[in-house]
Structure formats: C-alpha cells, structure tokens
Amino acid sequence: MFGNLFGFLSNDIGIDLGTANTLVFVKDRGIVLREPSVVARYKTSKKVCAVGNDAKRMLGRTPGTIEALRPMKDGVIADFEISEAMLRYFIEKVDKRKLVPPRVVVAVPSGITAVEKRAVKDSAIRAGAREVLLLGEPMAAAIGADLPIDEEYANMIVDIGGGTTEVAIISISGISYQRSIRVGGDEMDEAILAYMKRAYGLLIGERTAEEIKLTIGSASPIESGELSMDVRGRDSTAGLPKTIHITSQEIREEAFSDVISQIVELVKNALDRCQPEHSADLIDRGIVMAGGGALIRGLDQVISDATGLTVLQADDPLCCVAHGTGKFLNLLGSLSREQVDRLVTQ
C-alpha cells in the first residue's frame, strides 16, 4: 500500500552521472533529460547562474566575472558543492510537483573509492533524494543493452564514457571480472588539443576539439575515404585568428593512437584473466560496446581484430547506461534484498 502511495506521490529516478553528459530516466516516462555536466557560476559570489546546455554554451566564452566548470572528472565528483547544485537542478527539473522526495539510482564507475561513493550519495541526498542506490556503470550498461545477465553464460560489456572506459564479464546477475581505466572521450579531446598545438601551433577550445572528434574522428582507416574539415583557432605565436585543414588520418594516427591502444589493452587483459568457461561463451556471444566512445568510427573493428571476437554496438549506446538505471528501477519491486545487493555497488 505505502509503496503504491510513494509511487504516486514521487518519481523514481535513474541518473547516468557522466563526466561529459548527465542523463535522467524517470520511471514510467523513460529518458526525460540529457544535458552536459557543466555548471556556470559567478566567480565572486559563487552563485550558480546556469547548468547543463546553457552552461556548456559558455565554455571558453565566459566574461571575467563568470566561470564554467565541469564538476565531474573521470566519472566521479571532483567538486562536491558544484555537483550538488547540478544534481539539485536536474532532479527538480524532472520531479516537479511531487510531494515525496524521489528514490534515485545513480550509475557510477566500478573503480571508484569508498570516499567517492559517499560523495555521490551525499550529493544526491542533499540535492533532494530520499534514498540513493549506486549501480556500477558496466552492470547498468549491460542491463540497458538487454544482455541476459541472469543466465549462467558469460556476457562481456565494454562501456566507453567521457572519463572512464570499463570492461566487465557478467553471468548469473553477478560480475566475475571488471576493470576500469580513467581514459575515455575527454582524453581524446585533450589529445586533439595537444596535437593541434604541437603540429600547427593552433590553440583551440574544448568545444572545437569535441567537434573534431565527432566529425572526423576514427580508430581505423575509413573505407569510403578519409574525412577532412577546416579548423579555426588562434595562432600560438602570432596571436591572430588562423584556419587550418586537417584529415581523419592524422587525427587517428597522431592524436588518437595512444588512447585507442589503452582501450584495446584493457579488453585484451580482461579476456586473458577471465575463466576458461567464460572464454568459450564469448566466442559465441562476442563483445558488446556501449557509451559515447562506442560511436568512434572503426573502434569495433579494431577491438575485433585485436581479440578475434565479434564486437557489436549496443542499440543507442549513448543512452545505454541511463536505460539500465531505469530498467533496474522497474526490477526493484520483484527482486529480493539479496538480489539487489548483488547488483548494486556497496
């Protein structure tokens, strides 16, 4: 009775609290919000003036009195106060006119420390949640990708986010192996920034680096022909505006190579350490990729060539983790306490 009453008076919310973007899933409504994990505030008063899309538009363009910040770093909270303000904004935006604070499931990297877990929980509670459950991102991604995690056969998920890349081997609703590295889409952006300065003496901002990654970034040669684009920035020597022309081949070979190598090595190490029975399962089932990094052209083929396994991209990889938190919310009523404890991160 009281569970039904709580459901009427409040929304259960799933949050993919990412380094680059935050997605919010509301039970029975689906994903209702997807905005950048960026907060803008006044430097003197520290008062927040914009969050999400409005704040991202200020990156690299703020006046001297305003600073645009990313409160998440490597998938975890780097600035407690700003993260709380961001979470409060997102929760209030999707949980209007409800009388009871929502129960919140937050997807977090599997490799975070106990202190970092506490920071996430405290931020969500202070932002308005009545209860907070932490769900590891690999598990959330696997659930969101509709992998049969309750079967005895192994499933392997590779989740490439903005701040972390995680790999997990899952069977019988538990994780038999998982590892993460603090390398992801942000490192690709930083590699592009460094390459443009090193090769062309061109200074560009975060937004331009991300645009280059999305427009011409690739992990392997593009069969239909290499891509190219013009990039505008500031000449580091003359200090004047400058435009140069770049290709996908040079971004791949000169900027992305180290990041891609680290991701491939993480996957190979996971396969080297998994149980022999699970190795046999993965020959048939392959590897599933999720997260924004899964959209990098040719990355699935690079991993397939390195491992000899089929590599599949999850449906809607950008929203996979958020969908996983939502599906987990729907499962909560039918799961025992023991089953919940196996799935969540303590």
Side-chain angles (χ1 to χ4, degrees):
M1 172 183 174
F2 290 107
N4 291 335
L5 180 61
F6 271 14
F8 177 74
L9 297 177
S10 71
N11 286 319
D12 285 342
I13 296 174
I15 300 177
D16 175 10
L17 191 61
T19 304
N21 297 289
T22 294
L23 287 78
V24 180
F25 184 106
V26 176
K27 190 175 181 180
D28 300 325
R29 291 169 56 193
I31 294 176
V32 298
L33 181 147
R34 179 186 169 198
E35 295 196 29
S37 302
V38 183
V39 175
R41 68 179 181 184
Y42 296 105
K43 289 184 178 179
T44 303
S45 67
K46 306 301 182 184
K47 182 180 178 181
V48 173
C49 59
V51 177
N53 289 321
D54 293 337
K56 185 173 183 179
R57 284 191 282 269
M58 297 182 181
L59 279 175
R61 301 175 183 273
T62 57
T65 56
I66 296 176
E67 56 186 353
L69 307 169
R70 293 184 180 273
M72 306 296 296
K73 181 175 175 58
D74 300 331
V76 295
I77 290 177
D79 188 308
F80 187 92
E81 184 178 345
I82 295 299
S83 296
E84 181 184 324
M86 183 178 73
L87 275 171
R88 182 181 300 279
Y89 170 83
F90 290 143
I91 290 174
E92 290 179 350
K93 190 170 183 178
V94 303
D95 194 50
K96 297 175 181 176
R97 299 185 300 277
K98 289 293 183 177
L99 300 179
V100 176
R103 174 170 53 183
V104 176
V105 173
V106 184
V108 295
S110 58
I112 69 172
T113 65
V115 172
E116 291 166 337
K117 291 175 186 176
R118 175 52 55 190
V120 174
K121 282 191 172 185
D122 287 349
S123 289
I125 291 291
R126 291 166 65 93
R130 77 171 188 271
E131 178 187 4
V132 181
L133 297 174
L134 304 184
L135 186 63
E137 285 181 0
M139 183 63 79
I143 295 172
D146 289 326
L147 295 183
I149 62 169
D150 57 337
E151 294 184 0
E152 62 185 85
Y153 303 104
N155 297 276
M156 185 171 183
I157 187 84
V158 178
D159 179 31
I160 307 170
T164 59
T165 295
E166 309 200 53
V167 59
I169 298 173
I170 301 169
S171 67
I172 321 177
S173 299
I175 293 179
S176 65
Y177 177 91
Q178 67 178 13
R179 285 292 183 277
S180 67
I181 54 174
R182 298 197 171 187
V183 170
D186 285 356
E187 279 64 29
M188 294 180 189
D189 294 345
E190 291 171 8
I192 291 172
L193 286 168
Y195 171 69
M196 298 304 289
K197 181 179 181 181
R198 181 177 70 250
Y200 296 102
L202 187 73
L203 302 179
I204 61 174
E206 290 180 30
R207 293 175 61 187
T208 301
E210 184 180 28
E211 181 184 357
I212 294 170
K213 176 182 67 180
L214 297 176
T215 304
I216 65 172
S218 70
S220 63
I222 302 172
E223 292 183 2
S224 59
E226 298 293 346
L227 305 173
S228 63
M229 65 180 291
D230 290 330
V231 179
R232 297 176 177 87
R234 176 165 60 87
D235 189 295
S236 61
T237 302
L240 300 173
K242 179 180 178 181
T243 302
I244 58 103
H245 190 76
I246 60 172
T247 67
S248 53
Q249 180 179 358
E250 60 182 302
I251 294 300
R252 179 176 64 250
E253 296 177 355
E254 303 296 333
F256 279 4
S257 58
D258 182 56
V259 176
I260 299 299
S261 295
Q262 291 184 65
I263 293 172
V264 171
E265 195 62 27
L266 177 70
V267 175
K268 289 172 66 177
N269 285 339
L271 292 171
D272 184 51
R273 288 167 172 77
C274 75
Q275 300 174 29
E277 291 82 359
H278 288 168
S279 294
D281 295 338
L282 296 175
I283 291 174
D284 295 326
R285 298 188 170 217
I287 300 170
V288 176
M289 291 173 56
L295 298 173
I296 295 295
R297 297 174 185 84
L299 182 54
D300 53 350
Q301 189 59 52
V302 169
I303 294 176
S304 180
D305 291 343
T307 62
L309 299 177
T310 301
V311 179
L312 305 172
Q313 189 180 100
D315 293 335
D316 198 3
L318 281 169
C319 299
C320 215
V321 170
H323 280 302
T325 63
K327 292 176 181 178
F328 177 72
L329 281 170
N330 291 330
L331 287 171
L332 277 178
S334 61
L335 295 177
S336 67
R337 183 73 254 178
E338 292 75 16
Q339 289 173 311
V340 172
D341 288 343
R342 290 184 65 187
L343 291 169
V344 299
T345 300
Q346 302 299 327

